[in-house]
Amino acid sequence: MSYQTYRFLHLLGMILLFLSLGGVIIQAKLGGKSGRAMLVAGHGTGLLVVLVAGFGMLAKGGELGLPGWVIAKLVVWLVLGGITVAIKRKAEAAGMWYTTVVGLGLVAVVMGVYKPL
């Protein structure tokens, strides 16, 4: 696949991931259970697509090893992967979770676009 295809898939995975995380935050705040399976499936699928497409872009881009910006994005990926458990356990802090998820997304974007490390 081409670099552009991996990039498209990476962005699609991010949309799915953040849409699902938003749904998980809202669902936790409202105390509902309906649709949880769909949100969890979207979250997992988004994480997988982001990871595979990200490494595909890295391979097509000719990077050798794991630069610091890639490690930072992997840390963000790991945190976003486990954050649904924390959201469910502390649902009353929905505003904090929303801000945290947006902040982590911003860090990932800055790392991917500017590659500062």
Side-chain angles (χ1 to χ4, degrees), residues 6-24 38-51 53 73 77 80 101 105 108-109:
Y6 282 121
R7 190 158 119 192
F8 174 81
L9 290 173
H10 194 67
L11 292 171
L12 182 64
M14 283 191 284
I15 290 168
L16 184 56
L17 173 63
F18 284 96
L19 181 65
S20 297
L21 283 171
V24 167
M38 182 176 64
L39 292 172
V40 170
H43 177 254
T45 303
L47 282 169
L48 180 63
V49 171
V50 164
L51 185 68
K73 286 185 70 148
W77 182 85
L80 289 174
V101 167
V109 168

Side-chain angles (χ1 to χ4, degrees), residues 44-101:
T45 303
L47 282 169
L48 180 63
V49 171
V50 164
L51 185 68
V52 171
F55 275 110
M57 286 192 314
L58 196 60
K60 289 291 183 177
E63 290 278 349
L64 297 176
L66 288 179
W69 63 271
V70 173
I71 294 169
K73 286 185 70 148
L74 284 171
V75 169
V76 168
W77 182 85
L78 285 170
V79 172
L80 289 174
I83 204 166
T84 57
V85 174
I87 291 169
K88 187 175 179 184
R89 288 190 182 165
K90 196 165 175 112
E92 66 278 0
M96 178 196 69
W97 293 124
Y98 181 81
T99 304
T100 301
V101 167

